């Protein structure tokens, strides 16, 4: 009999998974269930090109519509999965229908974290998660005015750079002692904070939002220390939480997401998870991790699909992310921690530098500001757990690729 595989979550991970099921030879029934009405699309452009009008929503699609029909992939869009019935092997949908499934892959992603403050429901207060959110923010930015961004993480600062570029007055409220510190560390975060300030972004740290005020529309934001910011638009960007409601009471092991093994299988046989929602064992980190990176969503979706068709290969990746903030490109890889030994290549004040993270002599992470090439070359060394000589790491004339292959050779500083 024909088997049915259901992928819950019309996301990047879900789109790559259904693609992989077909390329790996699965000829059964494939159903892709998505809560949004849209075909699967890429989310990184939402905080950059889409809000600036440089891309239209249709430009972000992962596959054109005909891809799904050509590959006999059934789309159930605008349909929210509510529960996985593990006893009868069914995916239950809002409205009361249910689909039988021989295997299920969960790519439900994350939901925005909502702070417990008054005023979130005022017109002009947005979260940035969906394409509709991005279009609404774009339309408001195009009219100009005062923009308040609550949260100074990667998405918040991408949006701040876009809002300033569109001619708006921008204030960022960050509850931490500095911007981007949890992701990039204090020194890089502080340097980027000064860079954003130089472009016109008003940055306030140690800023806890007390309430958002307005009439019908938002008008201002108050912090607990008495600061008041005028606001025609407020965007809340204080992080996300894994979307696990569909499995919460169905016997799945949960813990900062849906717990999976090295083959992306959950504690329930025949049910898998991938992408932002999956908490998986990481050999390099030596612990379980849950990643919210584009690369992980794509590659883990592929890996889970391969497991579903019998290609059981452990998922193993060096995590990698990027952030474009205005004309500045930031990339990072590996598992950096604040307690690591840091080795700098280049001058941070120049906004053109790389910082390497060593732990007990092993290269475990790298962050580059306008140094894409350094980061990409370092990823191979991180994967191999190389112990490079710090002085050679810091030397811009040394080819990073050769630091794990014996004596390093010099190259031109920008080779």
């Amino acid at each position: 009999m024909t088997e049915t595989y259901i992928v819950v979550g019309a996301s990047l991970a879900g789109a790559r998974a259904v693609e992989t099921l077909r390329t790996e030879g699965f000829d059964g029934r494939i159903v892709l269930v998505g809560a949004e009405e849209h075909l699967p699309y890429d989310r990184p452009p939402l905080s950059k090109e889409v809000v600036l009008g440089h891309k239209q929503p249709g430009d972000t699609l992962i596959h054109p519509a005909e891809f799904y029909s050509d590959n006999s992939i059934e789309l159930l869009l605008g349909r929210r999965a509510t529960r996985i019935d593990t006893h009868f092997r069914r995916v239950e949908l809002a409205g009361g229908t249910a689909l039988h499934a021989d295997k299920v892959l969960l790519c439900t992603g994350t939901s925005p974290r909502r702070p417990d403050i008054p005023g979130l429901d005022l017109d002009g207060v947005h979260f940035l998660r969906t394409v509709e959110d991005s279009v609404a923010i774009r339309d408001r930015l195009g009219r100009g005015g005062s923009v308040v961004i609550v949260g100074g993480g990667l998405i918040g600062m991408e949006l701040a750079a876009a809002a300033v570029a569109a001619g708006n007055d921008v204030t960022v409220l960050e509850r931490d002692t500095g911007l981007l510190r949890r992701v990039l560390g204090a020194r890089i975060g502080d340097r980027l904070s000064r860079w954003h300030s130089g472009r016109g972004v008003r940055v306030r740290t140690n800023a806890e939002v007390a309430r958002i005020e307005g009439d019908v529309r938002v008008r201002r934001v108050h912090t607990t220390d008495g600061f008041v910011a005028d606001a025609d638009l407020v965007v809340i960007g204080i992080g996300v939480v894994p979307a696990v409601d569909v499995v919460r009471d169905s016997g799945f092991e949960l813990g900062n997401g849906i717990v999976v093994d090295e083959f992306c299988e959950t504690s329930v046989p025949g049910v898998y998870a991938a992408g932002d929602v999956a908490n998986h064992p990481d050999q390099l980190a030596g612990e379980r991790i849950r990643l919210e990176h584009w690369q992980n969503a794509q590659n883990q979706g592929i890996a889970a699909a391969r497991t579903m068709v019998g290609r059981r290969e452990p998922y193993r990746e060096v995590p990698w992310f990027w952030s474009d903030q205005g004309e500045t490109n930031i990339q990072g890889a590996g598992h950096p921690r604040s307690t690591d030994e840091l080795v700098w290549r280049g001058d941070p004040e120049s906004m053109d530098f790389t910082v390497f993270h060593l732990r007990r002599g092993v290269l475990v992470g790298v962050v580059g500001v306008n140094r894409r090439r350094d980061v990409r070359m370092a990823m191979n060394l991180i994967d191999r757990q190389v112990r490079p000589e710090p002085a050679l790491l810091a030397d811009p004339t040394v080819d990073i690729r050769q630091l794990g292959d014996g004596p390093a050779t010099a190259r031109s500083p920008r080779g």
Side-chain angles (χ1 to χ4, degrees):
M1 296 179 62
T2 299
E3 286 192 304
T4 297
Y5 290 0
I6 297 180
V7 178
V8 179
S11 56
L12 172 63
R16 293 304 183 202
V18 296
E19 174 187 358
T20 303
L21 288 174
R22 286 296 186 231
T23 59
E24 291 292 331
F26 178 68
D27 60 1
R29 184 187 182 198
I30 299 176
V31 183
L32 179 60
V33 179
E36 295 185 53
E37 298 281 354
H38 306 285
L39 294 170
Y41 59 89
D42 259 334
R43 296 189 189 274
L46 300 185
S47 59
K48 300 178 280 289
E49 295 96 333
V50 174
V51 296
L52 285 172
H54 297 164
K55 281 187 176 181
Q56 296 304 311
D59 299 331
T60 67
L61 295 181
I62 297 167
H63 298 299
E66 56 268 24
F67 166 84
Y68 301 97
S69 57
D70 290 348
N71 287 279
S72 299
I73 296 167
E74 298 176 40
L75 295 175
L76 289 181
L77 303 178
R79 303 290 301 276
R80 184 171 61 86
T82 58
R83 181 173 177 267
I84 307 300
D85 183 337
T86 58
H87 180 72
F88 290 104
R89 312 294 297 183
R90 299 184 305 185
V91 176
E92 298 178 359
L93 306 178
T97 59
L99 301 172
H100 168 77
D102 293 284
K103 293 182 181 179
V104 177
L105 173 58
L106 302 168
C107 301
T108 51
T110 58
S111 301
R113 190 181 299 276
R114 295 178 64 90
D116 185 18
I117 55 176
L120 285 183
D121 295 328
L122 287 169
D123 188 18
V125 178
H126 294 274
F127 294 83
L128 179 52
R129 180 62 181 167
T130 68
V131 68
E132 286 88 357
D133 297 332
S134 184
V135 168
I137 293 168
R138 177 199 67 189
D139 293 346
R140 179 64 258 184
L141 291 181
R143 296 197 291 270
S146 297
V147 178
V148 175
I149 298 171
V150 180
L154 292 174
I155 300 300
M157 299 319 297
E158 289 176 359
L159 186 56
V164 163
N168 294 268
D169 181 70
V170 180
T171 300
V172 174
L173 303 177
E174 169 56 50
R175 65 184 298 179
D176 201 353
T177 54
L179 297 182
L180 300 162
R181 289 190 169 189
R182 290 184 295 276
V183 180
L184 303 176
R187 189 173 178 185
I188 298 177
D190 291 351
R191 178 64 188 96
L192 287 168
S193 180
R194 295 196 303 275
W195 181 80
H196 281 285
S197 296
R199 300 177 81 248
V201 178
R202 184 182 301 108
V203 176
R204 287 186 66 88
T205 57
N206 296 301
E208 185 82 27
V209 174
R211 65 188 184 278
I212 301 172
E213 286 186 346
D215 33 52
V216 176
R217 287 196 56 82
V218 63
R219 300 299 179 190
R220 62 197 66 87
V221 179
H222 293 255
T223 64
T224 55
D225 63 359
F227 176 76
V228 181
D230 291 335
D232 300 299
L233 168 70
V234 175
V235 182
I236 310 293
I238 58 170
V240 296
V241 294
V244 299
D245 285 351
V246 69
V247 299
R248 192 177 298 281
D249 299 314
S250 300
F252 288 79
E253 182 181 356
L254 302 178
N256 185 27
I258 301 173
V259 174
V260 299
D261 63 16
E262 66 269 34
F263 304 106
C264 305
E265 191 166 16
T266 71
S267 58
V268 176
V271 181
Y272 308 80
D276 295 8
V277 77
N279 182 322
H280 68 274
D282 186 277
Q283 181 179 346
L284 290 173
E287 60 186 7
R288 286 191 160 274
I289 61 173
R290 185 181 63 81
L291 297 173
E292 298 165 10
H293 304 334
W294 183 94
Q295 171 230 31
N296 179 72
Q298 171 174 267
N299 295 351
Q300 197 171 34
I302 292 170
R306 287 175 174 165
T307 295
M308 293 170 75
V309 298
R311 287 189 54 185
R312 290 176 61 84
E313 300 172 358
Y315 176 69
R316 187 180 189 275
E317 294 273 345
V318 175
W320 168 77
F321 72 90
W322 87 94
S323 174
D324 290 317
Q325 300 177 19
E327 63 272 23
T328 294
N329 174 262
I330 303 153
Q331 296 199 13
H335 300 280
R337 297 176 184 167
S338 60
T339 54
D340 294 336
E341 175 190 354
L342 303 183
V343 178
W344 297 79
R345 176 179 286 217
D347 179 9
E349 294 304 311
S350 70
M351 291 292 287
D352 183 10
F353 62 88
T354 310
V355 58
F356 301 94
H357 286 246
L358 300 180
R359 193 174 306 147
R360 294 182 292 277
V362 176
L363 181 64
V364 294
V366 60
V367 176
V369 175
N370 294 317
R371 290 282 186 99
R372 295 176 174 86
R373 193 166 181 266
D374 281 2
V375 173
R376 300 301 292 181
M377 290 190 296
M379 288 177 67
N380 178 260
L381 305 186
I382 294 170
D383 187 44
R384 292 160 50 202
Q385 299 181 296
V386 166
R387 295 176 176 270
E389 173 59 46
L392 296 177
L393 270 182
D395 187 345
T397 68
V398 171
D399 190 325
I400 294 172
R401 293 169 296 184
Q402 298 186 14
L403 290 178
D405 299 323
T409 60
R411 60 172 175 84
S412 61
R414 301 296 297 167

